[in-house]
Amino acid sequence: MTVAVITFGGSNCDRDAVRSLAHVGVEAERVWHEDGLPADVDGVVLPGGFSYGDYLRAGAMAAHSPIMRDVRDAADDGVPVLGVCNGAQIGCESKLTPGAFTTNASARFQCESVHLRVERADTPWTAAYDAGDVVEIPIAHGEGRFEITEERYDDLVAEDRVLFRYCDSAGNITEKANPNGSRGNVAGILGERESVAVMMPHPERATLPDLGRSVDGQGVLSAFV
Amino acid sequence: MTTYTATVTVRLKRGVLDPEAETTKRALERLGFELSALRSADQFEIDLDADSADEAEARVDEMAERLLANPTIHDYDVGVTEA
């Protein structure tokens, strides 16, 4: 089982992702985007960071880099693909997932631990949890506000494609618990296939016990096991 | 072939929150200016050779649709003039 963690110029969570995947027993390696996606990968992670300096819009440049064609083909073949933070922005910009992640309502970069409510537990990404569980995973982004037209948001909900919502520690979905103004407190969503997911919080930063904080992110990464 | 300059203006759709514009508005107010609203937009100028203004506009429209704007949150205008 080898997962490709794709490094773009400006990615900076790629090493963390490899280490955290190794911790949950998943062999992973960084792949430089210009080298293309190895043919035999069993999974893809689009890591966090600031690919191409967030030029134009966060994720917009990386979304159109040639390797993303390989990633889309792999996703169409059922290969699991996870986009985290900048990887989530790339996922939406490349239309792997619907909507867009744009400037936080606060207009500030926010780096903090947040609570997420697991909306579905019957996906590879959330099989380690129960629906309604509250997990603690950090965010670190300036452009994490999930935006989508009302009509498409309704479709997303009707299709049950919301994975995580920002909540308080008791699991209540409130405006106060919404760190960035995301529509519906959405923190993570599924693509058209359940094997494709993007999320703004960083599961790889909540995996290694040595960090002395929540390890709730392990469940997400365990999808690749 | 004629050289045209296309101007693409990309702005957030009405109703989409623009925290940067809000922050800029507040900063102007702190400077003592009176204003009722502020909207921001990105503008791109593109020089290109085309057989007609219509062709130039069609090509630039596709550029806006596929990269310069994100249709989920943006509206855009394309204007074409002879360079």
Side-chain angles (χ1 to χ4, degrees):
Chain A
M1 168 65 72
T2 300
V3 169
V5 177
I6 298 174
T7 306
F8 297 97
S11 298
N12 65 9
C13 300
D14 44 341
R15 289 168 196 267
D16 294 3
V18 169
R19 273 188 73 178
S20 292
L21 284 163
H23 182 80
V24 297
V26 176
E27 189 186 312
E29 59 184 61
R30 291 187 299 144
V31 173
W32 177 240
H33 72 102
E34 285 182 347
D35 295 340
L37 194 65
D40 55 350
V41 293
D42 298 308
V44 175
V45 172
L46 302 170
F50 299 86
S51 56
Y52 302 92
D54 284 349
Y55 287 179
L56 194 62
R57 295 177 300 278
M61 293 294 153
H64 296 281
S65 69
I67 197 171
M68 287 305 295
R69 280 200 294 269
D70 301 346
V71 172
R72 200 170 297 108
D73 289 347
D76 287 345
D77 288 342
V79 172
V81 177
L82 174 67
V84 171
C85 198
N86 188 225
Q89 296 159 338
I90 295 168
C92 283
E93 282 284 344
S94 65
K95 300 192 170 66
L96 277 170
T97 47
F101 291 103
T102 188
T103 312
N104 292 349
S106 65
R108 291 192 174 91
F109 189 93
Q110 287 177 245
C111 187
E112 60 200 56
S113 190
V114 297
H115 292 99
L116 307 174
R117 191 174 77 189
V118 178
E119 298 296 292
R120 285 185 60 176
D122 58 341
T123 78
W125 314 105
T126 50
Y129 315 112
D130 291 322
D133 275 2
V134 176
V135 297
E136 192 180 343
I137 295 180
I139 55 165
H141 59 242
E143 295 169 44
R145 174 169 55 102
F146 183 66
E147 275 290 352
I148 190 167
T149 61
E150 199 159 340
E151 189 185 1
R152 294 204 68 197
Y153 175 74
D154 291 343
D155 291 344
L156 202 63
V157 172
E159 291 162 11
D160 211 6
R161 285 164 61 184
V162 178
L163 264 188
F164 297 106
R165 292 183 199 268
Y166 299 107
C167 65
D168 64 20
S169 58
N172 301 304
I173 307 297
T174 64
E175 201 178 316
K176 193 161 171 257
N178 188 345
N180 52 28
S182 288
R183 184 181 284 268
N185 285 43
V186 168
I189 54 169
L190 291 171
E192 277 174 33
R193 286 170 171 268
E194 284 179 11
S195 50
V196 175
V198 299
M199 59 191 292
M200 287 309 297
H202 287 267
E204 82 285 4
R205 294 191 189 182
T207 291
L208 301 175
D210 293 350
L211 298 180
R213 56 187 187 199
S214 162
V215 292
D216 289 347
Q218 289 179 0
V220 176
L221 301 184
S222 298
F224 292 108
V225 172
Chain B
M1 294 284 247
T2 308
T3 301
Y4 294 93
T5 296
T7 303
V8 183
T9 307
V10 178
R11 54 174 69 82
L12 286 167
K13 286 179 176 169
R14 281 297 178 116
V16 175
L17 184 70
D18 187 346
E20 290 178 4
E22 282 298 314
T23 305
T24 308
K25 175 173 178 278
R26 282 201 300 276
L28 284 171
E29 286 165 346
R30 271 201 303 276
L31 289 172
F33 293 105
E34 287 181 25
L35 66 164
S36 47
L38 182 148
R39 289 173 290 280
S40 63
D42 289 328
Q43 193 168 81
F44 303 87
E45 291 181 5
I46 298 168
D47 296 338
L48 72 170
D49 296 326
D51 288 330
S52 68
D54 283 351
E55 187 209 314
E57 184 174 335
R59 279 166 53 196
V60 172
D61 194 79
E62 194 182 350
M63 295 179 201
E65 190 72 27
R66 290 183 55 189
L67 180 66
L68 300 178
N70 179 337
T72 300
I73 51 174
H74 292 135
D75 287 328
Y76 63 87
D77 299 317
V78 177
V80 174
T81 56
E82 278 191 35

